[in-house]
Amino acid sequence: MEMDAAREVRTTCPYCGVGCGVLAKVAADGQVSVRGDPDHPANFGRLCSKGSALAETIDLDGRLLHPEIHGRRAGWDEALDLVASTFSQTIAEHGPDAVAFYVSGQLLTEDYYVTNKLMKGFVGSANIDTNSRLCMASSVAGHRRAFGSDTVPGTYDDLELADLIVLVGSNLAWCHPVLYQRIAAAREKRPEMKIVLVDPRRTMTADIADMHLAIAPDGDVALFTGLLAYLGQHNALDRAYTTAHTTGFGQALFAASALDLAGVAAATGLSEDELGSFYSLFAATAKTVTVYSQGVNQSSSGTDKVNAIINCHLATGRIGRPGAGPFSVTGQPNAMGGREVGGMANMLAAHMEIENPEHRERVQRFWNAPAIAGKPGLKAVEMFQALADGRIKALWIMATNPVDSMPDAGAVEAAIKACPFVVVSDVLAETDTVRHAHVRLPAAAWGEKDGTVTNSERRISRQRAFLPLPGEARPDWRIVAEVGMRMGFGGAFSYASPAEVFAEHAALSGFENDGARDFDIGVYGGIDGETYAALEPFQWPAPSSSTGLQVRFFANGDFYTPDRKARFIAIRAATEIRTSADYPLILNTGRIRDHWHTMTRTGKSPRLSQHIAEPFVEIHPVDAQRFGIGDADIARVSSPRGDVLVRALVTARQRQGSLFAPMHWTDQFSAKGRLDTLTAPLTDPISGQPALKHVAARIEKFAAKAFGFAVTRQKPAPDTAAYWAVAKCNGGWRVELAFADDDIDWAAFAGSLFGAPPGAEMLAYHDRDAGQHRIAAFDGDQLSGALFVAPGPVAVSRGWAAEQLSADHVDRRGRLAIVAGRPGGIDVDRGAIVCSCFSVGATQIAEAVRRGCTSVAAIGAALQAGTNCGSCRAEIRVIVDAQSLQAAE
């Protein structure tokens, strides 16, 4: 790739399902910067904090750059031959269902297509599933039950056109910030727009809501079946639509009427007044969009939740119209693309059905394949259970980290360790999953690979390479195609480029498609390399016979069921109690603002680690008092499957009786933070999606004898500490620590932690009676590390301490200030970082309020905070309100 001239490349963000356009600028010296693409219709130039920091995540530190076999470097031919021969031998000896692929919504569509083709059409098994099973499988199942197809009816424009937006189980402000900002901007133009948030927690998304319904965990089915009954009782139905375009309405309404308003209140934990206000608002507002995400999907009743929501939109005819419809927002950048190519165990390519013999014959004929999977394969949880009991004997994992993200993660790790043959394709040399691979294959990362992704509104965009492939890394489609050829499938996998793969994928979507299938991009079936390179973002469908663009689905019916009518699903609300005397709390797991999945990318960015740098658990003040938990204590959270150690955050935003903890931390970043070791392999019976948000748990204070905080140039391995969490910062690492014993040689511990060179100057302060120790090591004018120890949570400013790693320390006063643990002279303590985009801290915001900046807009004008992605605006408002209240007292 040409590297001697500056250039700007249009590509797409690799994080969530919003699918934001990114302009990656490569300077003549190779330095990369990114900004939002103002012409991309998903984001119009906006980026969230993660997208804005992408240039900080593309270094080669920790990259897997060469194939490895049993830990030794190998050539590609040797590694691919071993993979191909082992899979072939396993199939010959034990049958095609003895092998499996576990893949990822991080793959590009071209990667997904080739992988699915190899497994379903040439191996002849459907044992290919994806981490998207953990994300949106219930939405797929709900769509298929209601519509006859996995079709998202609406578009992002509907969020700006709606008069009412209902956000269900979606912390949009943190998890899909650009969509949140689009809604916020529309709300500013039309203040009459109403927003309702349905979520057990008062998340930062509540900042924009007119109404927050703090629903009981898994109360959504009762809420929306109750809504359907209310719509029927108050004559708020579109009888013409239901008569012409649906079936099963009477049965669904009868089932929904099983609970009266008092019963719905009991099942949801909401008052009858709250229910009445929400129901009457929904009934009266024709232009309503219901946006839902993981709080709906990650449930043992996730599919019923989806259909309960869809039922209400079908009953009112609010679907496929501008500003109206149910809208599933996907979590990953290409979960939708994976669905399109059939990259799940219960789907065929191009939205065809694996249970349908005509579809199977059509796909087999198109591929000219020797076999076609005749039944659904093992879904993710089932797949790893089959790995554990020996039914699966060879597994290939691509672009995902199931040792951390799967439920019952401890059992998943044990199953992978016991499997006779495990292949992992990844970009990093060390993850909690990669460490168990017999064969490690170096894959291309974002910025290096070339292909397409599909976002939540069915928009296909290009991810383009702007960096050369490092070492011997290869794109995933090419790796899989090479294995397919080595397994004897020759010409079926002899692709020369991702453009050829995309052309075949597009051609299959239009193959014998007379409008009976929703997914059709047949117009691109003959695309050549030049056209593919210049491909603009587009929404499907785009059939070859298209005379006009269909933007939305189902306003006039025409569903994809045999009779072309939508199916109402009769659903009865059921309450399941999972708590007990031993595990009296409900644990809800999820994401935070600035990190992503298992931090293999975001963990590289100092900026993204400033906001929240360690695993934590939110607990309501009443529960904290009940269980003896103080703010910033180390807490042990346990379930019947294991336990984790995390920092306690006492907050009234958490629902009483529940806990919330994020799923991001792994053994690479914490001592005992793998949250999914607590979750159960309990799944929705239809979708197979795990119930990751309703886990019986208990909490207790960890009896730490000493607490510590450190900054150090080298990545530390503080094995002496019972609790530790590391996070990248400019110039090195920051480390949170807690110890079960305080009888420790702190100087020796600090020296080991810092890895200070011989002859380094050590400065120390010890007050053994008070349990206070502060130690700093200097190598010339540079700080090698600093350690602060106290009997309780250490009060030193984290941001200020981390900044000292990048500063010159020539005079002794500055060095003593570090040992003192507080800024000296003109140093400024920014406080805990609130705005990651511009590194603005809480102390700075509070000071600006005291100087007269009494609104979020004023803070933005003074400090820039909240003016880029906007996902910190709710937190800024909290600080502004608190400071204003304090000033008024």
Side-chain angles (χ1 to χ4, degrees):
M1 179 180 292
E2 185 70 28
M3 295 294 291
D4 59 357
R7 65 195 188 285
E8 195 163 55
V9 176
R10 295 181 66 194
T11 185
T12 308
C13 181
Y15 286 118
C16 76
V18 176
C20 294
V22 175
L23 294 176
K25 185 176 183 178
V26 185
D29 63 359
Q31 293 295 309
V32 175
S33 59
V34 300
R35 62 188 179 98
D37 183 349
D39 297 322
H40 196 288
N43 59 315
F44 298 107
R46 297 181 180 94
L47 286 180
C48 72
S49 57
K50 294 184 288 291
S52 298
L54 275 166
E56 298 175 20
T57 69
I58 57 177
D59 61 76
L60 298 184
D61 289 349
R63 283 292 297 271
L64 179 63
L65 297 175
H66 309 281
E68 295 180 4
I69 298 174
H70 298 297
R72 66 169 176 83
R73 181 171 171 176
W76 270 111
D77 284 340
E78 182 186 7
L80 295 173
D81 284 345
L82 178 61
V83 173
S85 63
T86 304
F87 269 77
S88 295
Q89 182 177 349
T90 303
I91 293 164
E93 294 178 0
H94 304 285
D97 288 337
V99 301
F101 293 165
Y102 186 65
V103 298
S104 167
Q106 300 289 300
L107 293 178
L108 302 184
T109 297
E110 292 75 6
D111 306 323
Y112 249 135
Y113 179 85
V114 175
T115 307
N116 182 62
K117 178 181 178 180
L118 176 59
M119 178 57 80
K120 291 202 175 101
F122 289 80
V123 171
S125 170
N127 280 350
I128 173 172
D129 213 46
T130 166
N131 60 9
S132 298
R133 180 70 60 187
L134 316 182
C135 167
M136 34 47 64
S138 292
S139 287
V140 174
H143 289 163
R144 293 177 72 181
R145 283 209 296 183
F147 308 148
S149 61
D150 177 21
T151 310
V152 175
T155 74
Y156 293 161
D157 288 347
D158 294 327
L159 303 176
E160 295 160 334
L161 297 171
D163 293 325
L164 170 63
I165 295 177
V166 184
L167 301 171
V168 190
S170 171
N171 186 7
L172 211 65
W174 277 21
C175 298
H176 300 93
V178 169
L179 291 186
Y180 176 83
Q181 287 307 314
R182 287 186 65 165
I183 294 171
R187 173 76 169 271
E188 288 182 8
K189 294 177 182 176
R190 293 193 298 119
E192 66 274 14
M193 176 192 284
K194 300 296 182 185
I195 298 172
V196 175
L197 175 67
V198 182
D199 197 307
R201 301 164 62 216
R202 186 170 179 82
T203 65
M204 287 302 167
T205 303
D207 181 64
I208 202 175
D210 299 282
M211 184 187 303
H212 172 218
L213 302 179
I215 195 168
D218 280 341
D220 311 87
V221 169
L223 179 66
F224 283 95
T225 54
L227 173 58
L228 182 63
Y230 180 96
L231 295 171
Q233 293 160 6
H234 291 79
N235 198 27
L237 305 169
D238 187 335
R239 294 284 186 180
Y241 188 90
T242 57
T243 300
H245 304 304
T246 72
T247 62
F249 173 68
Q251 297 93 318
L253 185 61
F254 178 78
S257 301
L259 283 181
D260 60 13
L261 195 63
V264 175
T268 60
L270 302 172
S271 70
E272 292 187 30
D273 286 344
E274 287 177 305
L275 291 169
S277 296
F278 170 52
Y279 288 173
S280 62
L281 180 61
F282 189 102
T285 312
K287 295 175 71 173
T288 297
V289 175
T290 304
V291 178
Y292 61 92
S293 193
Q294 308 314 338
V296 167
N297 293 329
Q298 291 179 338
S299 168
S300 59
S301 57
T303 305
D304 279 350
K305 291 183 183 185
V306 171
N307 286 114
I309 291 169
I310 291 173
N311 280 351
C312 295
H313 281 270
L314 291 174
T316 52
R318 299 174 188 169
I319 186 167
R321 306 178 191 276
F327 204 137
S328 163
V329 179
T330 52
Q332 293 198 81
N334 204 30
M336 290 281 282
R339 288 146 72 171
E340 291 158 10
V341 304
M344 302 179 78
N346 56 323
M347 302 172 72
L348 272 184
H351 281 196
M352 284 182 269
E353 300 167 0
I354 202 166
E355 304 89 349
N356 187 318
E358 291 183 9
H359 290 187
R360 294 198 303 269
E361 187 278 332
R362 181 183 296 128
V363 174
Q364 183 175 5
R365 178 160 41 89
F366 180 88
W367 281 341
N368 193 25
I372 195 75
K375 65 181 189 301
L378 297 171
K379 299 168 186 172
V381 170
E382 300 167 332
M383 181 180 290
F384 286 98
Q385 290 171 340
L387 197 69
D389 65 28
R391 282 175 287 155
I392 292 176
K393 303 178 187 303
L395 174 67
W396 191 346
I397 299 168
M398 302 177 200
T400 187
N401 201 0
V403 166
D404 297 313
S405 57
M406 283 290 295
D408 199 10
V412 168
E413 181 171 33
I416 292 172
K417 289 171 69 174
C419 182
F421 189 66
V422 176
V423 182
V424 176
S425 303
D426 211 316
V427 301
L428 292 183
E430 291 296 335
T431 72
D432 292 357
T433 298
V434 167
R435 64 189 175 190
H436 301 305
H438 301 100
V439 178
R440 304 178 184 184
L441 301 176
W446 181 81
E448 301 158 7
K449 56 186 181 178
D450 197 40
T452 58
V453 293
T454 307
N455 73 1
S456 296
E457 63 165 354
R458 295 175 275 107
R459 189 175 301 279
I460 296 175
S461 300
R462 291 275 279 110
Q463 265 194 29
R464 294 181 173 90
F466 55 87
L467 296 171
L469 288 168
E472 296 182 80
R474 291 182 179 179
D476 291 283
W477 67 265
R478 183 181 169 194
I479 297 171
V480 177
E482 288 273 5
V483 170
M485 287 190 286
R486 282 170 163 80
M487 292 178 72
F489 305 129
F493 294 93
S494 58
Y495 304 106
S497 70
E500 290 187 11
V501 181
F502 183 81
E504 182 177 308
H505 163 57
L508 176 55
S509 75
F511 184 57
E512 297 179 358
N513 190 349
D514 56 0
R517 305 197 305 272
D518 63 336
F519 179 66
D520 188 345
I521 57 171
V523 71
Y524 296 104
I527 196 170
D528 58 26
E530 183 178 354
T531 307
Y532 179 79
L535 188 66
E536 294 287 329
F538 71 95
Q539 280 181 297
W540 61 261
S544 56
S545 59
S546 177
T547 56
L549 180 64
Q550 179 181 356
V551 176
R552 297 176 179 85
F553 285 85
F554 310 141
N556 299 307
D558 203 22
F559 293 89
Y560 292 96
T561 55
D563 62 5
R564 307 297 281 193
K565 291 186 176 185
R567 303 287 189 255
F568 275 95
I569 305 299
I571 302 166
R572 291 183 182 271
T575 302
E576 182 178 357
I577 298 174
R578 294 179 192 160
T579 55
S580 65
D582 289 335
Y583 298 97
L585 299 170
I586 294 171
L587 173 65
N588 172 13
T589 72
R591 296 176 179 169
I592 60 174
R593 191 187 79 189
D594 291 350
H595 278 308
W596 174 256
H597 285 197
T598 60
M599 294 165 55
T600 52
R601 180 183 290 114
T602 55
K604 285 173 162 280
S605 168
R607 191 195 322 184
L608 297 178
S609 296
Q610 292 181 108
H611 183 237
I612 297 174
E614 60 183 322
F616 66 91
V617 60
E618 286 184 356
I619 182 171
H620 190 276
V622 172
D623 293 325
Q625 185 175 24
R626 174 186 174 190
F627 295 104
I629 305 294
D631 204 25
D633 279 347
I634 304 301
R636 187 186 303 277
V637 180
S638 308
S639 81
R641 284 171 171 74
D643 64 286
V644 295
L645 293 177
V646 293
R647 186 78 66 177
L649 174 60
V650 180
T651 173
R653 286 181 171 269
Q654 180 57 256
R655 179 185 172 88
Q656 192 173 337
S658 292
L659 307 171
F660 171 81
M663 52 79 71
H664 307 292
W665 274 266
T666 71
D667 287 350
Q668 309 299 313
F669 292 95
S670 63
K672 201 172 177 62
R674 288 171 52 212
L675 193 71
D676 277 315
T677 58
L678 275 58
T679 56
L682 176 66
T683 62
D684 179 282
I686 299 167
S687 70
Q689 182 158 0
L692 299 177
K693 292 185 171 291
H694 192 157
V695 181
R698 65 170 177 247
I699 191 170
E700 57 192 313
K701 181 177 179 177
F702 174 71
K705 296 291 185 64
F707 291 77
F709 172 73
V711 293
T712 175
R713 289 192 171 280
Q714 71 169 16
K715 186 174 182 180
D719 295 335
T720 305
Y723 169 89
W724 57 262
V726 300
K728 197 81 183 290
C729 63
N730 288 322
W733 298 83
R734 50 184 286 187
V735 196
E736 298 288 346
L737 301 155
F739 303 84
D741 187 4
D742 59 358
D743 185 17
I744 293 172
D745 183 337
W746 295 112
F749 175 79
S752 173
L753 191 73
F754 305 157
E761 180 186 7
M762 303 286 287
L763 298 179
Y765 167 85
H766 299 284
D767 184 342
R768 289 176 174 79
D769 291 339
Q772 298 274 358
H773 306 271
R774 299 192 287 272
I775 303 165
F778 298 88
D779 180 16
D781 295 339
Q782 300 296 306
L783 177 67
S784 294
L787 171 67
F788 308 89
V789 178
V794 175
V796 68
S797 169
R798 270 60 173 165
W800 169 81
E803 288 171 359
Q804 304 314 302
L805 291 171
S806 301
D808 290 327
H809 300 282
V810 179
D811 67 281
R812 191 164 183 80
R813 283 184 60 191
R815 297 184 181 210
L816 292 175
I818 294 174
V819 178
R822 58 182 179 271
I826 61 172
D827 285 353
V828 176
D829 178 10
R830 291 179 292 175
I833 294 299
V834 174
C835 174
S836 295
C837 295
F838 296 108
S839 297
V840 180
T843 302
Q844 292 172 287
I845 296 170
E847 178 58 30
V849 176
R850 289 191 288 270
R851 293 197 309 265
C853 297
T854 56
S855 68
V856 175
I859 293 294
L863 302 174
Q864 291 186 286
T867 62
N868 183 39
C869 75
S871 55
C872 62
R873 290 171 65 88
E875 291 167 271
I876 294 171
R877 194 183 315 280
V878 170
I879 298 171
V880 170
D881 291 346
Q883 290 296 317
S884 300
L885 181 64
Q886 184 177 339
E889 291 177 348

